[in-house]
Amino acid sequence: EANRRRGTTAEYFLTAASASTGAVLVGLRKTPRMGVLAAEELPPDVVLPELRQRGVELQVADDLAA
């Protein structure tokens, strides 16, 4: 999909989308604090809409067999 829509690999597209999302959040001062942050520290309700704007949709599936 990334190749068809953007002419790149999925790896490059997801890396660029994530990096640009992080930069936007820092610029808008929407990060929980200044400094280096782990991805787990970013609030999903802030990150996910920014990723969606860049064409990244995430889904959670539980496929564990009982």
Side-chain angles (χ1 to χ4, degrees):
E1 182 68 15
N3 187 276
R4 184 181 66 76
R5 293 177 61 192
R6 308 253 199 256
T8 188
T9 66
E11 181 180 5
Y12 287 153
F13 171 71
L14 293 173
T15 300
S18 299
S20 65
T21 295
V24 167
L25 294 177
V26 168
L28 295 175
R29 301 188 190 278
K30 290 186 175 182
T31 56
R33 62 180 172 77
M34 297 299 290
V36 177
L37 300 168
E40 297 82 17
E41 295 180 79
L42 299 173
D45 59 324
V46 173
V47 175
L48 294 177
E50 290 291 336
L51 285 171
R52 275 189 214 104
Q53 287 182 8
R54 289 162 182 77
V56 177
E57 289 288 334
L58 301 174
Q59 297 177 1
V60 177
D62 186 359
D63 293 338
L64 298 176

